[in-house]
């Protein structure tokens, strides 16, 4: 980040040239560690901090940002940072890291990106005792003033930068994430990456898996470990994909189960089922499982997807049961950072005898089995989705972003997977190709947006791919050394 402060173009050139190795440093999993220590490593602000004390004059705070042509904003309130919980203003590392990827992965100009952290306090008692904590020393404000603050923030951003400004919500608590998505999606150009971006990358993995199994997505039974915003976002997009393949919506929902900290999400259980979870709260099975392993035994899923952020809950016996039930079990351990992953790639491949189709949220090294077979786990990283979607949205001047956009993005990503990648065990293309992947997603999404009357940039570019490529910011250096062979013959030496 010191390089970014001194020489921005060099920073992005270095990042792009070795993105597969450096992405885990700029983003997951290192960004999680950076957020936990943010006040201790802080040197200078990289984004805009807005506190609840600023209520009533947020527009003047936004006016202080020096850039006049912002196209993309990533905002967090720090309540649920990755799988680490409430980190308050230390969560600023997430918007900063996300917007680095907007530029590195999709060529969105860095000066058109604005990271924002909303400070309403924190319920993390250790931070409230931390002398280096940079935020308000108070419990998180959950009064109507919080909603008023977010309303005022949304109005201030669009008032200064325009109604088409993309506002990405990031790492809000589950309740607020769904609430704000419903509240703002028809009023502003906004999406929630934890709900929609995660959904698209997970669905892309399932679509890629069907190339290996030959089993269409409509025939899968999916069991989630976790029932928060990531699980519900993925589940709803899977339902949308199944419906597109001719499955009635109720039948599609019945193929999806969830298991949270209170047990199986089902009708009539003592613990409250959130209104967002109700479509996936089915009548209780014959016997009620008392552990995730029992749920696997009882429901016999073809895929398990971990998004609970609770650590190693895909135990050896769970993995072995999945291998016994399925010829090619699908195992997605998507929780971040690495310490929160449900299992490692080595555990998954070893305990399923190399038959599983595995994806993780954080990177894992190549796994070599005793018989000599090697597998490279696909990383189900949202960076495959949100930069390309953001690029398409910005170039198309979209006013509202529908879930169909993320369905198209998921399909476009799955189509980027080559047969050699699949043979290696990958469900996603190599991260070294991510700039090209983002361009392909942007082109596919733009075609969808214009075809469905959602784009407001006119005239419509007749050829989308050359248009997208002409608009991306590049970190290539211009050469100021003329080609000696082009000099006039009589030029002085």
């Amino acid at each position: 980040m010191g390089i970014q402060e001194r020489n921005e173009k060099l920073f992005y050139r270095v990042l792009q040239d070795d993105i597969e190795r450096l992405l885990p440093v700029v983003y997951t999993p290192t960004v999680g560690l950076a957020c936990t220590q943010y006040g201790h490593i802080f040197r200078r602000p990289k984004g805009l901090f807005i506190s609840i004390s600023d209520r009533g004059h947020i527009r003047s705070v936004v006016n202080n940002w020096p850039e006049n042509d912002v196209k993309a904003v990533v905002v967090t309130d720090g309540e649920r940072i990755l799988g680490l919980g409430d980190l308050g203003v230390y969560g600023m590392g997430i918007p900063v890291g996300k917007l680095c990827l907007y530029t590195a992965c999709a060529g969105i100009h860095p000066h058109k990106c604005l990271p924002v952290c909303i400070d309403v306090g924190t319920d993390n008692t250790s931070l409230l005792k931390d002398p280096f904590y940079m935020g308000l020393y108070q419990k998180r404000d959950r009064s109507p003033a919080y909603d008023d603050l977010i309303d005022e923030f949304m109005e201030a951003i669009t008032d200064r930068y325009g109604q088409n400004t993309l506002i990405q919500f990031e790492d809000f608590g589950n309740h607020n994430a769904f609430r704000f998505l419903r509240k703002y999606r028809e009023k502003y150009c906004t999406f929630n990456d934890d709900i929609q971006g995660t959904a698209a990358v997970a669905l892309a993995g399932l679509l890629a898996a069907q190339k290996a199994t030959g089993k269409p997505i409509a025939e899968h039974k999916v069991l989630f470990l976790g029932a928060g915003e990531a699980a519900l976002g993925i589940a709803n997009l899977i339902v949308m994909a199944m419906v597109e393949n001719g499955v009635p919506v109720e039948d599609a929902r019945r193929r999806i189960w969830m298991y949270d900290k209170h047990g199986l999400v089902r009708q009539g259980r003592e613990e409250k089922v959130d209104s967002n979870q109700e479509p996936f709260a089915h009548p209780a099975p014959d016997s009620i499982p008392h552990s995730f392993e029992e749920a696997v035994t009882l429901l016999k899923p073809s895929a398990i997807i971990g998004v609970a952020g609770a650590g190693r809950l895909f135990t050896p016996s769970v993995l072995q049961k999945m291998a016994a039930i399925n010829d090619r079990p699908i195992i997605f351990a998507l929780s971040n950072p690495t310490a929160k992953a449900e299992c490692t790639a080595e555990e998954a491949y070893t305990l399923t005898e190399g038959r599983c189709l595995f994806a993780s949220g954080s990177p894992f090294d190549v796994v070599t089995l005793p018989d000599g077979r090697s597998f490279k786990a696909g990383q189900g990283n949202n960076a495959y989705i949100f930069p390309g979607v953001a690029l398409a949205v910005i170039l198309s001047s979209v006013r509202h972003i529908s879930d169909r956009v993320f369905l198209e993005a998921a399909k476009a990503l799955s189509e980027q997977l080559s047969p050699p990648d699949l043979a290696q065990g990958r469900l996603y293309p190599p991260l070294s190709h991510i700039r090209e992947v983002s361009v392909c997603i942007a082109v596919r999404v733009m075609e969808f947006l214009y075809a469905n009357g959602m784009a407001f940039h006119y005239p419509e570019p007749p050829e989308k791919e050359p248009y997208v490529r002409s608009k991306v910011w590049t970190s290539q250096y211009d050469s100021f050394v003329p080609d000696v062979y082009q000099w006039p013959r009589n030029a002085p030496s």
Side-chain angles (χ1 to χ4, degrees), residues 309-342:
R312 299 283 193 273
L313 293 178
F314 287 178
T315 60
S317 52
V318 165
L319 297 171
Q320 287 165 343
K321 276 191 170 60
M322 283 297 292
I325 295 165
N326 304 281
D327 290 333
R328 301 297 306 273
I330 297 171
I331 297 164
F332 287 1
L334 300 182
S335 292
N336 285 316
T338 311
K340 301 289 184 179
E342 286 75 15

Side-chain angles (χ1 to χ4, degrees), residues 389-405:
V389 167
L391 180 60
V393 164
I394 291 168
L395 295 180
S396 305
S397 295
V398 172
R399 293 176 184 171
H400 311 294
I401 305 172
S402 78
D403 287 331
R404 288 283 307 281
V405 165

Side-chain angles (χ1 to χ4, degrees), residues 31 63 77 92 101 133 146 192 232 254 297 366 374 381 400 439 444 458 469 471:
V31 73
N63 284 348
D77 72 348
M92 176 59 102
L101 302 188
Y133 183 60
Y146 172 77
N192 185 301
L232 291 164
R254 278 194 288 269
T297 304
V366 173
S374 292
N381 195 316
H400 311 294
V439 167
R444 175 72 165 266
Y458 294 108
R469 292 186 187 279
K471 294 295 182 181

Side-chain angles (χ1 to χ4, degrees), residues 395 435-436 439-440 464-472:
L395 295 180
R435 175 63 80 97
E436 193 63 26
V439 167
C440 291
K464 306 294 186 297
E465 185 173 337
Y467 178 75
V468 170
R469 292 186 187 279
S470 72
K471 294 295 182 181
V472 298

Side-chain angles (χ1 to χ4, degrees), residues 143-152 176 179-180 183-184:
S143 72
Y146 172 77
D147 280 29
D148 293 343
L149 175 71
I150 303 298
D151 283 344
E152 189 182 347
N176 288 329
R179 199 163 56 86
F180 290 146
K183 182 177 182 179
Y184 296 128

Side-chain angles (χ1 to χ4, degrees), residues 88-107:
V89 298
Y90 280 8
M92 176 59 102
I94 297 294
V96 169
K98 286 272 180 181
L99 288 169
C100 283
L101 302 188
Y102 267 52
T103 301
C105 301

Side-chain angles (χ1 to χ4, degrees), residues 115-135:
V116 177
C117 185
I118 304 286
D119 183 10
V120 294
T122 177
D123 290 337
N124 187 325
T125 53
S126 63
L127 291 183
L128 294 176
K129 298 173 184 174
D130 181 357
F132 290 98
Y133 183 60
M134 300 147 46

